[in-house]
Amino acid sequence: MARKDLNQELNELICSFQDQGILDDYFDELKGLQDEESPQFVTNTITTYLGGADNTIAELTTNLSEPAVDYSMVTYLADKLKGSSLSVGGSRMANVCAELCDASEANDREACLARFEVVNREFLTLQESLSKIVQLEQAIYDDKE
Amino acid sequence: MALGSANGNRAEGATTPLMSWKNNLRALLVDASSTCRIIGKAYLTSYGVETEAVENGEAAFDLIYMGASFNVIIIDMHMREMNGAQCARRLRTMGVQSRLLGMSTSYREHEQHEFLAAGGNGFIQKPLHPSKFVPILQELDNN
């Protein structure tokens, strides 16, 4: 597929995710940091985010399944996930992480578990969306090489 | 060469920073999130700031001990081993005179008080954006 078509497809995909609220305008800022010197900046950043988020969610799963929940750790992990999600334009993901932070600061186990379920669901959506972006970014990059 | 001024046009393939400064500005970013470090460093670098990014306070202290100096140190307020205030206090104890900014997505009032009392100078909201850091850099460049 011609590079112009791929770029158009990518732009349409991003707009679609933004229209759905999965990504916000900050994702455009992220794309703006990609240039000739860092042609895979978006791919590398998304890959780093997804790997880090996976690890954080695994830690949260472990912490929340403990008989005695370490709420300060849950708050820390949820806050970290919130910050990194915001940094890739995932404001909806960040919002559900903020709700988990609130539940953890209230030491409310039930609420934490409920909010964490939402975090997991939202992450799956974001992960799928970002993965599609990475696929197109990689196709564009490979087309140039 | 325009000083402390914005040049929004970046020629394709060029590595010309988006802004130029009178002084050689150096920043240290201390953030537990690798994603935030990548993006923060890319942003600051694109604006002509020589930037280091480390994962935690201890790594920041090691850099300082090795003789590194920075105009501004941006500190994640919520890190695993130590919070922003603890990091700021230690940096000031080490004699660091850099501008210290606490960074977070949201702040509790007591956290802000603690950070300032520990020697911090101010705050910058995550995620980093030129609208937030350029005025601070301009101020540093003019001092």
Side-chain angles (χ1 to χ4, degrees):
Chain A
M1 193 184 288
R3 193 194 309 169
K4 190 176 176 185
D5 292 335
L6 285 174
N7 275 301
Q8 187 176 347
E9 189 177 339
L10 175 61
N11 288 337
E12 287 171 0
L13 186 68
I14 293 168
C15 283
S16 160
F17 293 148
Q18 288 170 328
D19 288 342
Q20 294 174 63
I22 299 168
L23 293 177
D24 62 22
D25 292 344
Y26 197 79
F27 188 83
D28 298 328
E29 308 279 347
L30 181 70
K31 265 208 64 84
L33 289 169
Q34 181 158 288
D35 58 16
E36 291 291 321
E37 195 176 297
S38 307
Q40 295 190 289
F41 180 80
V42 172
T43 295
N44 292 340
T45 303
I46 289 175
T47 303
T48 299
Y49 165 73
L50 292 176
D54 253 340
N55 290 339
T56 302
I57 286 174
E59 280 197 77
L60 278 165
T61 302
T62 301
N63 273 278
L64 286 169
S65 60
E66 292 291 328
V69 175
D70 181 350
Y71 289 106
S72 64
M73 181 55 70
V74 172
T75 302
Y76 161 76
L77 291 168
D79 185 72
K80 183 180 174 187
L81 190 53
K82 176 186 170 189
S84 58
S85 299
L86 271 177
S87 297
V88 295
S91 55
R92 208 166 75 184
M93 176 69 183
N95 287 341
V96 299
C97 291
E99 290 176 357
L100 175 56
C101 276
D102 291 342
S104 180
E105 285 179 340
N107 289 6
D108 186 337
R109 190 193 182 103
E110 294 283 324
C112 280
L113 292 173
R115 303 277 161 83
F116 185 52
E117 210 172 313
V118 179
V119 165
N120 271 300
R121 280 203 304 269
E122 193 58 46
F123 179 65
L124 284 176
T125 302
L126 182 59
Q127 182 182 48
E128 192 181 328
S129 306
L130 290 174
S131 296
K132 287 179 181 170
I133 290 172
V134 165
Q135 278 174 9
L136 274 173
E137 284 280 356
Q138 193 59 47
I140 292 166
Y141 177 77
D142 291 342
D143 196 46
K144 274 187 198 176
E145 294 295 298
Chain B
M1 179 172 70
L3 302 177
S5 62
N7 171 16
N9 300 316
R10 296 177 69 195
E12 195 174 40
T15 57
T16 307
L18 289 168
M19 288 189 78
S20 52
W21 310 98
K22 286 181 286 193
N23 301 291
N24 181 28
L25 296 181
R26 288 174 50 82
L28 174 62
L29 187 54
V30 188
D31 197 314
S33 161
S34 48
T35 307
C36 294
R37 290 197 303 275
I38 288 171
I39 294 170
K41 183 172 179 176
Y43 248 138
L44 289 165
T45 303
S46 74
Y47 275 78
V49 181
E50 199 178 320
T51 307
E52 298 266 5
V54 296
E55 187 178 354
N56 52 44
E58 288 298 332
F61 306 148
D62 287 344
L63 275 181
I64 303 293
Y65 277 130
M66 281 163 41
S69 65
F70 304 95
N71 300 96
V72 60
I73 301 176
I74 301 172
I75 306 165
D76 180 2
M77 293 285 281
H78 307 120
M79 293 182 286
R80 197 189 293 250
E81 299 84 7
M82 71 177 71
N83 62 29
Q86 290 168 325
C87 186
R89 184 170 292 110
R90 176 93 172 265
L91 287 169
R92 291 303 190 213
T93 304
M94 291 169 69
V96 169
Q97 297 184 326
S98 314
R99 179 78 56 96
L100 301 183
L101 299 177
M103 179 173 61
S104 180
T105 57
S106 60
Y107 302 90
R108 302 282 186 271
E109 202 175 314
H110 75 271
E111 289 177 337
Q112 289 186 301
H113 286 315
E114 281 171 13
F115 186 76
L116 294 173
N121 299 107
F123 304 93
I124 187 165
Q125 193 154 20
K126 192 185 282 196
L128 282 186
H129 188 273
S131 62
K132 298 169 191 168
F133 63 73
V134 165
I136 294 169
L137 296 175
Q138 286 173 327
E139 194 190 333
L140 285 170
D141 197 41
N142 287 328
N143 282 342

